[in-house]
Amino acid sequence: KAGVTQTPRYLIKTRGQQVTLSCSPISGHRSVSWYQQTPGQGLQFLFEYFSETQRNKGNFPGRFSGRQFSNSRSEMNVSTLELGDSALYLCASSMGDSGNTIYFGEGSWLTVV
Amino acid sequence: GQNIDQPTEMTATEGAIVQINCTYQTSGFNGLFWYQQHAGEAPTFLSYNVLDGLEEKGRFSSFLSRSKGYSYLLLKELQMKDSASYLCAVRARSNYQLIWGAGTKLIIKP
């Protein structure tokens, strides 16, 4: 059974550009969550999608957006990139119920220069 | 408000036992998770507690007291590969959102 797949793994962008990150959840999982993690920091929750609807949202500016498709794959977009957006972006999937374990992808390393 | 507290860093000796504590204050409770994260890697699942008591899984055990808003992760027979950050997370509300602690960096010395 394939795990959570994130693409691209590494990318470098320039300030002001926009970026789209992709996440394919484990087959059968309907919930996809996105997190930002900067070096030495904990996980900062961005948003969660469940059955194509945003179920939860963290405290990030509107430059950060996401969506989920009917096959549960998800994308997140960051517009007008800032240097502070440089981070590891992690996607996690689960069945979506309270006791379900979430499984993380290997993440996308974004560097903004 | 919602808050999860963990020590920032702990040091232990190879072969010893270490206990990492996690206290939480959340609106509602639907389970507590522990994850391990090695530097530069994604977090991996260690344990899940929803009822009070101790859950044992090999060298790792996790304890929960819902009345005290308290959990701990116990690691026995420490190995160098256990050097990592350990993250505590609580599923707080009926909307299933996970609230994460900042993580505890565990350093194992020979």
Side-chain angles (χ1 to χ4, degrees):
Chain A
K1 193 174 185 182
V4 180
T5 304
Q6 291 188 246
T7 56
R9 289 294 318 281
Y10 305 92
L11 67 166
I12 300 174
K13 290 286 188 177
T14 304
R15 271 183 302 174
Q17 287 187 313
Q18 66 93 26
V19 66
T20 299
L21 308 178
S22 180
C23 173
S24 293
I26 292 171
S27 178
H29 284 191
R30 295 190 295 166
S31 168
V32 173
S33 299
W34 289 90
Y35 295 87
Q36 181 196 65
Q37 188 175 40
T38 50
Q41 300 300 310
L43 297 175
Q44 302 298 315
F45 173 71
L46 282 155
F47 28 66
E48 180 205 2
Y49 286 87
F50 179 78
S51 295
E52 300 180 68
T53 301
Q54 188 180 83
R55 184 160 71 172
N56 289 296
K57 187 178 187 304
N59 297 319
F60 276 79
R63 300 186 296 108
F64 292 81
S65 62
R67 60 178 175 169
Q68 186 179 33
F69 302 97
S70 58
N71 61 358
S72 293
R73 190 177 69 84
S74 177
E75 289 181 347
M76 67 161 283
N77 183 277
V78 188
S79 63
T80 320
L81 284 165
E82 301 176 358
L83 295 179
D85 296 333
S86 294
L88 174 65
Y89 289 86
L90 290 163
C91 166
S93 79
S94 77
M95 296 290 287
D97 295 326
S98 62
N100 296 144
T101 301
I102 69 169
Y103 298 91
F104 286 87
E106 294 191 340
S108 293
W109 288 93
L110 170 65
T111 301
V112 182
V113 298
Chain B
Q2 303 191 103
N3 192 51
I4 295 182
D5 287 318
Q6 304 178 234
T8 302
E9 186 174 298
M10 299 181 69
T11 302
T13 304
E14 189 177 15
I17 298 173
V18 70
Q19 177 175 311
I20 302 174
N21 295 326
C22 170
T23 58
Y24 63 90
Q25 290 179 310
T26 56
S27 55
F29 178 83
N30 281 315
L32 185 145
F33 295 83
W34 283 97
Y35 281 78
Q36 179 192 61
Q37 185 178 26
H38 286 101
E41 299 181 9
T44 55
F45 170 75
L46 289 177
S47 69
Y48 170 67
N49 294 70
V50 65
L51 299 176
D52 291 349
L54 187 68
E55 294 279 343
E56 297 185 81
K57 192 183 295 184
R59 294 189 300 114
F60 293 8
S61 302
S62 57
F63 171 83
L64 174 67
S65 169
R66 289 172 295 170
S67 63
K68 295 181 180 178
Y70 167 69
S71 173
Y72 67 72
L73 181 69
L74 191 71
L75 291 76
K76 303 176 185 177
E77 302 169 14
L78 286 169
Q79 302 174 9
M80 298 303 294
K81 68 178 182 179
D82 297 330
S83 291
S85 288
Y86 291 85
L87 307 174
C88 172
V90 173
R91 201 180 292 279
R93 301 173 180 165
S94 59
N95 61 4
Y96 307 127
Q97 184 174 347
L98 276 176
I99 310 299
W100 292 84
T104 299
K105 183 178 181 180
L106 177 63
I107 300 168
I108 309 297
K109 296 185 175 180

